[in-house]
Amino acid sequence: MKESRIITVNRRSYQWLKTRLVVICCDCSDPAYMELAMARDLMPRLKQIIGKGENLRGLSAMPSLTKPKNLSSVTGRPPSWHGICGNYLIDPDTGKEVMMNDPKWLRAPTIFQGFQKAGTKVLVITAKDKLRQLLGKGLVFNGSAICFSSEKADQATEADHGISNVCALAGMQVPAVYSQELSEFVFAAGVKLLVSFRPDITYLSTTDYVQHKFAPGSAGANAFYAMLDRYLGQLDDLGATIVLTADHGMKDKHLPNGEPDVIYLQDELDRAYGAGKTKVILPITDPYVVHHGALGSFATVYLYGPAAQDVLNRISQLDGIDLVLERGEACARFELPEDRMGELIVISGGPNATKVIGTSEGKHDLSALGEPLRSHGGVSEQQIPIITNRRAKGLAGTLRNFDAFHIGCNELETLAEAAE
């Protein structure tokens, strides 16, 4: 490979890869998870990786949700650039509430597209299929790209995913959606394909089931991170350059008695202004309600009559609201696409970061929550780890989740440089 070659995607430059690069998005992985697991000697390989690399901190894209972060990572840009601002929105063209799963919502090419066009081999594996189409947009399955989800691994085909018989390759059956194994499948398949397919650039993205269910240091969390450690060791042994990060953090969102600590914002606004005068949209909303009951720390509010400043003032007075901003200011501050947000942006948290936002109480089915609520979406869940198995040459300024590929391509020493 020519070391001087540069690939430009979305006006960011990436050096031609000198070693195989693996970027891992460990969903909802607040730094405390790995810190506590290492303190209990459950992640010996991660300790070794950090010993020869870096253990840094960064900030996720906002809202601190899975889709905005993942698409920021794989485009190298914030949501204002690529357009993915949540799982759920009001379609500006139709006025209807829709999921943001369709690749049409993605406004920017991915780094994978740029690298494939330049002649590299690309591997993308995600836990949930809701991300797969977005992450794989623009890839050509001609033998140089593979993109599939563990959720629907048994449905992968050469024509649509670049691979078939994935379960046999991974040595696992398709796991349940609500399981640790859904993430483990990502790593099992990733390690096997790093050997057989030999991709130049790999992206592995997990699910947040464990982190929604188990707090840092708990038995369930420790079991997950011990599993992760085994695969990190295998990837490191294969000589890959590793950048391990997260899409966002995670916090307890419940009262001392275990009940969710919720502000039902639509109910509050309906009482003040009447039904139909406002619309609260929660970008965390998706079909996987067992995780979080569609309760998160970020909301956008559409107004159909009431003055923005009046509604802003009223919301600001609610206990547990950290921030209410009008659309222009909020989008500039959090790098969001203005045409896909309401007139107001609302972020909750409170003194202990426990408050989440709901719409109307009757519209949230919380019966499936087996444990006290843990969720995300706000500023309090922005901190993420950025861990590498190579030394950085000199990183400056605030690191963001969407710097992961830039760091892996441009900012880390090669093995030869490290030996000098």
Side-chain angles (χ1 to χ4, degrees):
M1 293 184 181
K2 295 180 180 179
E3 295 186 5
S4 60
R5 190 169 178 182
I6 299 294
I7 298 170
T8 300
V9 184
N10 298 319
R11 299 181 191 171
R12 294 193 79 174
S13 296
Y14 302 88
Q15 293 182 18
W16 191 263
L17 297 164
K18 301 180 182 70
T19 59
R20 289 183 290 171
L21 172 63
V22 179
V23 173
I24 300 170
C25 172
C26 193
D27 201 340
C28 272
S29 195
D30 186 282
Y33 280 106
M34 285 181 271
E35 289 171 355
L36 289 174
M38 283 191 291
R40 296 175 184 181
D41 295 323
L42 298 172
M43 300 192 80
R45 293 306 305 267
L46 182 61
K47 282 186 177 180
Q48 292 176 9
I49 284 169
I50 290 171
K52 62 181 180 178
E54 303 287 350
N55 185 12
L56 308 169
R57 295 292 176 267
L59 294 177
S60 74
M62 282 290 287
S64 51
L65 303 173
T66 296
K67 279 185 184 173
K69 183 276 167 190
N70 273 269
L71 274 302
S72 292
S73 286
V74 306
T75 60
R77 291 294 186 179
S80 57
W81 186 288
H82 60 70
I84 303 299
C85 53
N87 301 330
Y88 191 71
L89 82 162
I90 291 180
D91 185 336
D93 294 329
T94 66
K96 295 181 179 179
E97 299 173 45
V98 296
M99 297 299 299
M100 221 175 196
N101 293 343
D102 195 305
K104 72 178 184 180
W105 298 109
L106 183 59
R107 290 171 165 164
T110 68
I111 292 165
F112 312 134
Q113 287 176 262
F115 272 87
Q116 187 188 29
K117 288 179 180 177
T120 68
K121 295 173 74 173
V122 175
L123 172 63
V124 180
I125 311 176
T126 182
K128 292 179 184 174
D129 206 61
K130 69 177 185 179
L131 266 178
R132 192 261 313 167
Q133 291 186 68
L134 288 163
L135 295 177
K137 184 179 180 180
L139 289 179
V140 180
F141 298 112
N142 58 3
S144 63
I146 294 174
C147 179
F148 65 90
S149 72
S150 51
E151 180 183 3
K152 295 187 177 180
D154 57 341
Q155 300 176 33
T157 66
E158 297 283 351
D160 295 329
H161 306 83
I163 192 172
S164 58
N165 300 318
V166 175
C167 292
L169 172 93
M172 297 175 65
Q173 294 301 309
V174 174
V177 170
Y178 299 114
S179 71
Q180 170 179 303
E181 288 72 25
L182 195 72
S183 292
E184 183 170 0
F185 193 107
V186 172
F187 296 121
V191 168
K192 293 287 182 64
L193 285 166
L194 205 67
V195 174
S196 62
F197 180 59
R198 297 191 62 80
D200 299 291
I201 187 167
T202 296
Y203 186 63
L204 305 177
S205 180
T206 71
T207 178
D208 55 6
Y209 167 76
V210 166
Q211 291 79 8
H212 274 288
K213 190 177 178 69
F214 300 113
S218 66
N222 288 339
F224 176 89
Y225 285 93
M227 175 274 292
L228 170 61
D229 194 66
R230 294 194 298 273
Y231 288 104
L232 287 174
Q234 292 177 48
L235 292 168
D236 191 44
D237 289 343
L238 289 169
T241 295
I242 299 171
V243 178
L244 170 64
T245 185
D247 53 354
H248 49 77
M250 178 75 80
K251 293 286 190 297
D252 287 332
K253 301 293 182 181
H254 57 82
L255 299 166
N257 65 2
E259 294 181 3
D261 192 4
V262 189
I263 303 164
Y264 289 106
L265 187 56
Q266 189 67 69
D267 288 342
E268 295 281 353
L269 297 179
D270 286 352
R271 283 191 287 269
Y273 301 103
K277 297 297 184 182
T278 63
K279 183 68 176 179
V280 176
I281 293 292
L282 306 176
I284 197 173
T285 303
D286 68 11
Y288 304 95
V289 295
V290 170
H291 283 14
H292 45 62
L295 298 171
S297 304
F298 186 102
T300 185
V301 182
Y302 291 79
L303 305 178
Y304 307 105
Q309 189 63 51
D310 184 70
V311 181
L312 185 154
N313 291 340
R314 184 174 293 274
I315 295 173
S316 298
Q317 294 170 11
L318 297 174
D319 181 47
I321 296 296
D322 288 344
L323 193 63
V324 189
L325 297 172
E326 292 199 39
R327 177 169 49 207
E329 182 180 358
C331 290
R333 177 168 175 175
F334 295 120
E335 301 170 294
L336 295 166
E338 287 197 42
D339 63 322
R340 293 180 176 178
M341 309 303 295
E343 281 79 3
L344 299 176
I345 304 297
V346 185
I347 298 173
S348 66
N352 299 312
T354 60
K355 285 286 186 184
V356 285
I357 301 169
T359 56
S360 298
E361 186 170 5
K363 292 186 177 180
H364 290 267
D365 180 8
L366 306 182
S367 61
L369 291 177
E371 288 79 23
L373 178 68
R374 292 173 54 74
S375 195
H376 52 93
V379 174
S380 56
E381 292 82 51
Q382 267 196 289
Q383 189 176 80
I384 54 170
I386 300 176
I387 296 171
T388 70
N389 66 340
R390 308 273 189 266
R391 292 290 182 199
K393 297 177 182 179
L395 296 170
T398 301
L399 298 177
R400 305 295 300 277
N401 69 276
F402 45 85
D403 293 325
F405 282 98
H406 191 270
I407 291 169
C409 291
N410 301 344
E411 302 294 345
L412 301 181
E413 293 179 343
T414 64
L415 291 175
E417 289 170 333
E420 291 178 357

